[in-house]
Amino acid sequence: MLTLYSYPELFGVADNNGYGLKVFAWLKLAGVPFEHRHLFDASGAPRGQLPYIEDDGTVIGDSETILAYVRRTYGVTLDNHLTPAERNMALLVTRMLDDLYWVMSYSRWKDEAFWPQFRDGLMQQHPSLTPEALEKAKAFNAQRYHFQGIGRFAPPDAYARGLADLGVLADLVPGEGFVFGSRPTGVDAAIYGFLANIHFYPIATPLKVFIEAHPNLVRHCTAIHALIGGAAWDGRAA
């Protein structure tokens, strides 16, 4: 059976990283059986990044590469009905979510206004984590943000980027149904991966405030969450 390796859950979300949650949701929507294993340490993963999959001895990293492999190997037809224009739009949204990832991550590990809440949430739900380990991870992420560029932004400027991305999603996501009609497709799984990692967190970042002010984004997020068997977080440690 295919095994998905990704970061642990947090606040009722199956993976506290947008990319791993995107793959998780996509596999669920596509009806592909898989086992889900959680890791904190990505050093043994392909490219040193999560998520990755193992399938009968084949190891694949990178979320989009994973989806392409599973689509080809398992004959997934989730997006087969999309038009060329819809496929192009899905790709553009996927690339935009790459930008939103950095702002979302910045809000957790870089912005001192929200870092303590994120740290405490991780430690509450995953008691094996220590303050020292999380401070080390925080310093590592600070280096990543600096070299990527978002770490050189002051918080208002960083959030302006993410809010612009969310503004596009607010215009794209319909009030009913899904992005390309009455049934979800791969782009809905991708959007969910990032929205859920903001919406379900009890941390009032500017990104969360924006989502909460847009009922269509909340509805889309909760609809996918329900379809893939998600459960609301009850505030207790795992």
Side-chain angles (χ1 to χ4, degrees):
M1 177 181 287
L2 184 152
T3 301
L4 169 65
Y5 295 87
S6 74
Y7 287 107
E9 67 274 15
L10 189 62
F11 301 128
V13 176
D15 185 323
N16 76 89
N17 178 279
Y19 293 106
L21 188 59
K22 172 178 76 172
V23 174
F24 176 88
W26 189 93
L27 291 171
K28 287 281 191 177
L29 293 175
V32 177
F34 68 101
E35 181 180 353
H36 194 192
R37 296 186 183 178
H38 295 294
L39 300 173
F40 279 112
D41 183 3
S43 60
R47 306 178 188 173
Q49 294 177 314
L50 296 174
Y52 74 93
I53 62 168
E54 184 174 357
D55 186 37
D56 194 25
T58 299
V59 178
I60 307 287
D62 178 74
S63 62
E64 286 299 302
T65 307
I66 291 169
L67 301 190
Y69 167 85
V70 177
R71 189 181 296 114
R72 182 174 63 251
T73 304
Y74 288 84
V76 173
T77 60
L78 192 63
D79 292 348
N80 281 14
H81 63 289
L82 298 183
T83 67
E86 288 170 337
R87 292 175 189 276
N88 288 341
M89 176 60 73
L91 179 60
L92 289 172
V93 171
T94 299
R95 295 294 184 260
M96 185 185 71
L97 292 171
D98 290 341
D99 184 77
L100 179 60
Y101 161 79
W102 288 102
V103 183
M104 183 182 75
S105 188
Y106 176 109
S107 74
R108 301 173 176 188
W109 296 95
K110 175 73 173 175
D111 190 345
E112 294 296 338
F114 304 113
W115 153 248
Q117 297 171 69
F118 178 65
R119 176 200 61 207
D120 294 349
L122 279 172
M123 292 181 63
Q124 179 190 4
Q125 293 194 248
H126 302 287
S128 64
L129 294 173
T130 64
E132 294 76 17
L134 289 176
E135 286 293 340
K136 184 176 179 181
K138 183 175 185 285
F140 172 75
N141 280 317
Q143 287 186 316
R144 294 173 63 234
Y145 303 151
H146 178 79
F147 289 118
Q148 189 274 341
I150 195 70
R152 307 178 197 215
F153 285 38
D157 298 322
Y159 291 124
R161 290 186 66 98
L163 293 173
D165 296 333
L166 289 175
V168 172
L169 293 180
D171 287 341
L172 178 67
V173 170
E176 296 182 3
F178 301 97
V179 172
F180 296 129
S182 61
R183 53 178 167 155
T185 62
V187 74
D188 295 291
I191 292 170
Y192 168 80
F194 293 88
L195 291 190
N197 267 290
I198 300 169
H199 169 63
F200 289 108
Y201 282 36
I203 302 174
T205 68
L207 304 178
K208 179 178 173 69
V209 170
F210 184 96
I211 291 174
E212 302 306 295
H214 290 80
N216 61 323
L217 296 182
V218 173
R219 185 210 57 81
H220 182 278
C221 186
T222 55
I224 297 293
H225 196 66
L227 282 173
I228 65 174
W233 184 60
D234 63 7
R236 295 178 296 181

